[in-house]
Amino acid sequence: MATVTGTYCGDLRVECRHEQSGATLMTDAPVDNCGKGQAFSPTDLVGAALGACAMTIIGIYAQNHGLDVTGMTMEVTKTMSANPRRIGRLEVVFTMPRRAYSDKERASIERAAHTCPVHMSLSADMEQVFTFVWPD
């Protein structure tokens, strides 16, 4: 069984369906590549997948070690490269909730993020930068 199915809706838009849950999302080509930019572009989804995957792995680590990371946020900045057109860089900034994490816990959380499957699956030609903001 397929994990995701998609239908081309015309006008550079694709509706994707997650088969297990039935959830859908629409993609649109970005303005700088003939689209209207009215939805996530496919490359935006790669950035979202990287950030969400890393946050999920951090969450799993936190659950397994009695830590609370509820309220953690992320911002993804995508930089495209040309010839060939591709994602050249993804920078993910994680802002951690105000908690009394030890230096060891902080290091372990940061290390966990780098083990997410999306991070491990993307090309080494694409720069991936993770930055953590730890409020005091």
Side-chain angles (χ1 to χ4, degrees):
M1 174 186 213
T3 304
V4 176
T5 57
T7 303
Y8 183 72
C9 301
D11 211 18
L12 307 180
R13 297 180 67 99
V14 175
E15 182 178 36
C16 298
R17 174 185 163 90
H18 181 252
E19 287 300 314
Q20 183 176 346
S21 67
T24 62
L25 63 83
M26 188 70 70
T27 66
D28 189 13
V31 174
D32 69 345
N33 199 28
C34 305
K36 295 178 183 173
Q38 295 177 337
F40 284 100
S41 73
T43 55
D44 291 341
L45 290 176
V46 174
L50 177 61
C53 184
M55 290 177 93
T56 301
I57 297 301
I58 290 168
I60 291 168
Y61 176 84
Q63 280 184 344
N64 290 339
H65 292 86
L67 300 173
D68 181 11
V69 294
T70 303
M72 168 181 45
T73 62
M74 65 142 169
E75 293 181 14
V76 178
T77 302
K78 174 188 73 175
T79 305
M80 297 298 290
S81 296
N83 299 320
R85 182 174 171 82
R86 65 180 183 82
I87 303 169
R89 175 185 167 102
L90 288 173
E91 180 175 3
V92 186
V93 177
F94 301 95
T95 300
M96 302 305 293
R98 191 175 305 277
R99 307 267 194 287
Y101 300 110
S102 69
D103 289 343
K104 181 180 177 183
E105 290 168 338
R106 289 179 181 200
S108 295
I109 287 169
E110 291 186 20
R111 196 168 35 255
H114 287 89
T115 67
C116 91
V118 173
H119 174 72
M120 302 299 287
S121 299
L122 295 172
S123 170
D125 292 337
M126 187 188 71
E127 185 180 7
Q128 299 177 58
V129 179
F130 288 174
T131 302
F132 284 80
V133 176
W134 298 95
D136 292 325

